[in-house]
């Protein structure tokens, strides 16, 4: 069984996703306690809203609305709404990640690593981004705004993490107005680092062009279209060095499919030559496998 088949095995997928959301939930709670809470940083998305609600209630209303409870209250309604357009499996595991993070926040007690504010911002922002990527690569998310971001990304076929950053920046502006601009500024820097980290390591919505040179075009095309729902064009010609008949195949795929497609084509034609490069702009129909 190859890696592609192994990842598609239901039991393996379940274990893979469960482990991803468990690790992500643990890391989210740890990052909040180690890097964020000691310097009053505001988290992203609905977790940030929950932190903001906790600070408002404890500062102005005489009681504290727990962050762990706020995370659940805010995420569940959005999860129900988005489950109809994403997938029930994805929604379930994303909510499970939120439950794990909420649980670990209540039972764990980590001490800060750094006293320096910038070190907390840099390492915390990078770690928070990696935590989100772990959940996304496990076919889940950290809930909240991620649900909305992935819903819109699936509709548009491109990443909107920059728009998520704008939402988080607006949230932090409210935080700065109420509790001080210095830590609001640090929080925006934290969000920028975490957002760039996600963009750097999560490439589901990045499209790649594949140029394939082969002497077995019929066999390669047949194997390719049997496994993938992408169009492919063919141009026949003559090899400049060998003088033999060759065909140039051209197709656009998602970046996460590249290795599996290349392996399939090399299995069909061991002498195939494959060149790949990033597609900056793409216009036309494009099949993107739904999040499961």
């Amino acid at each position: 069984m190859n890696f592609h088949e192994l990842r598609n095995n239901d039991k393996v997928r379940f274990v893979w996703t469960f482990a991803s959301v468990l690790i992500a939930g643990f890391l989210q709670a740890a990052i909040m306690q180690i890097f964020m809470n000691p310097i009053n940083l505001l988290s992203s998305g609905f977790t940030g809203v929950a932190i903001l609600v906790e600070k408002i209630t404890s500062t102005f209303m005489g009681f504290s609305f727990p962050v762990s409870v706020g995370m659940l209250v805010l995420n569940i309604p959005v999860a129900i709404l988005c489950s109809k357009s994403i997938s029930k499996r994805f929604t379930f595991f994303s909510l499970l990640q939120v439950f794990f993070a909420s649980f670990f926040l209540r039972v764990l007690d980590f001490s800060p690593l750094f006293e320096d504010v910038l070190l907390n911002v840099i390492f915390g922002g990078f770690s928070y981004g990696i935590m989100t990527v772990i959940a996304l690569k496990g076919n889940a998310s950290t809930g909240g705004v991620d649900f909305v971001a992935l819903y819109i990304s699936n509709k548009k076929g491109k990443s909107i993490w920059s728009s998520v950053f704008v939402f988080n920046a607006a949230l932090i502006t409210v935080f700065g107005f109420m509790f001080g601009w210095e830590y609001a500024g640090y929080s925006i820097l934290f969000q920028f680092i975490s957002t760039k980290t996600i963009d750097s390591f999560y490439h589901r919505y990045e499209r790649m062009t594949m140029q394939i040179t082969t002497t077995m075009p019929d066999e390669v095309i047949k194997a390719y279209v049997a496994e993938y729902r992408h169009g492919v064009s063919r141009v026949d010609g003559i090899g400049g060095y060998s003088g033999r008949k060759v065909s140039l195949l051209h197709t656009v795929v998602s970046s996460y499919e590249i290795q599996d497609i290349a392996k399939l084509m090399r299995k069909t034609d061991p002498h195939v030559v494959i060149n790949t490069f990033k597609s900056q702009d793409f216009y036309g129909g494009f099949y993107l496998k739904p999040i499961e």
Side-chain angles (χ1 to χ4, degrees):
M1 184 180 293
N2 60 36
F3 181 73
H4 180 72
E5 293 172 338
L6 190 65
R7 283 291 304 273
N8 286 326
N9 182 279
D10 288 340
K11 292 182 179 178
V12 174
R13 286 176 65 237
F14 179 89
V15 173
W16 175 278
T17 306
F18 184 86
S20 297
V21 298
L22 178 63
I23 293 170
F26 173 82
L27 287 177
Q28 185 174 11
I31 291 166
M32 290 173 68
Q33 292 185 0
I34 295 172
F35 299 110
M36 300 175 65
N37 293 348
I39 58 172
N40 291 319
L41 289 180
L42 192 67
S43 180
S44 61
F46 284 5
T47 302
V49 176
I51 294 173
L52 185 59
V53 170
E54 188 275 333
K55 289 185 177 296
I56 291 173
T57 54
S58 60
T59 303
F60 301 108
M61 299 182 181
F63 70 95
S64 178
F65 192 82
V67 173
S68 56
V69 177
M71 289 169 63
L72 298 177
V73 170
L74 291 167
N75 275 281
I76 291 175
V78 176
I80 294 172
L81 289 173
C82 291
S83 65
K84 299 177 181 178
S85 300
I86 303 177
S87 86
K88 290 182 172 58
R89 182 184 185 278
F90 178 87
T91 304
F92 168 76
F93 278 109
S94 298
L95 273 180
L96 189 61
Q97 192 279 337
V98 176
F99 275 101
F100 279 141
S102 177
F103 170 75
F104 286 131
L105 274 175
R106 297 183 74 89
V107 301
L108 298 180
D109 186 18
F110 287 101
S111 300
L113 288 180
F114 307 114
E115 294 183 1
D116 184 80
V117 175
L118 281 179
L119 285 176
N120 279 294
V121 170
I122 294 171
F123 280 93
F126 177 77
S127 301
Y128 204 91
I130 292 295
M131 176 275 299
T132 305
V133 170
I134 289 173
L136 291 170
K137 284 185 175 290
N139 286 322
S141 74
T142 56
V145 175
D146 287 355
F147 282 135
V148 181
L150 290 167
Y151 169 77
I152 298 175
S153 292
N154 274 345
K155 294 292 184 182
K156 292 187 174 183
K158 62 181 181 179
S159 173
I160 63 161
W161 295 111
S162 296
S163 300
V164 173
F165 172 72
V166 172
F167 168 83
N168 290 328
L171 176 66
I172 293 168
T173 300
V174 176
F175 174 72
F177 180 77
M178 299 183 70
F179 299 102
W181 294 108
E182 180 179 358
Y183 290 107
Y186 284 130
S187 295
I188 290 177
L189 180 58
F190 176 94
Q191 299 304 329
F192 179 79
I193 294 172
S194 64
T195 301
K196 286 299 179 183
T197 302
I198 296 170
D199 263 339
S200 298
F201 290 96
Y202 185 65
H203 304 293
R204 175 178 173 81
Y205 300 100
E206 187 175 278
R207 291 167 181 168
M208 302 290 291
T209 296
M210 298 185 73
Q211 289 183 339
I212 305 101
T213 304
T214 177
T215 57
M216 303 171 60
D218 294 329
E219 293 85 346
V220 171
I221 292 174
K222 183 178 179 181
Y224 176 57
V225 299
E227 291 288 333
Y228 296 93
R229 293 177 58 179
H230 297 301
V232 55
S233 57
R234 169 182 170 178
V235 177
D236 296 323
I238 303 295
Y241 178 78
S242 66
R244 295 187 300 169
K245 291 183 178 180
V246 296
S247 293
L248 180 65
L249 310 182
H250 181 278
T251 185
V252 179
V253 303
S254 296
S255 61
Y256 65 89
E257 298 174 309
I258 287 286
Q259 291 184 351
D260 289 334
I261 293 174
K263 184 176 181 179
L264 174 67
M265 290 182 172
R266 293 182 68 186
K267 182 179 179 181
T268 307
D269 177 8
H271 302 291
V272 69
V273 176
I274 302 173
N275 179 42
T276 65
F277 52 90
K278 185 176 179 180
S279 300
Q280 295 295 334
D281 295 293
F282 181 87
Y283 302 96
F286 184 84
Y287 176 75
L288 184 65
K289 185 178 179 181
I291 297 175
E292 300 176 345

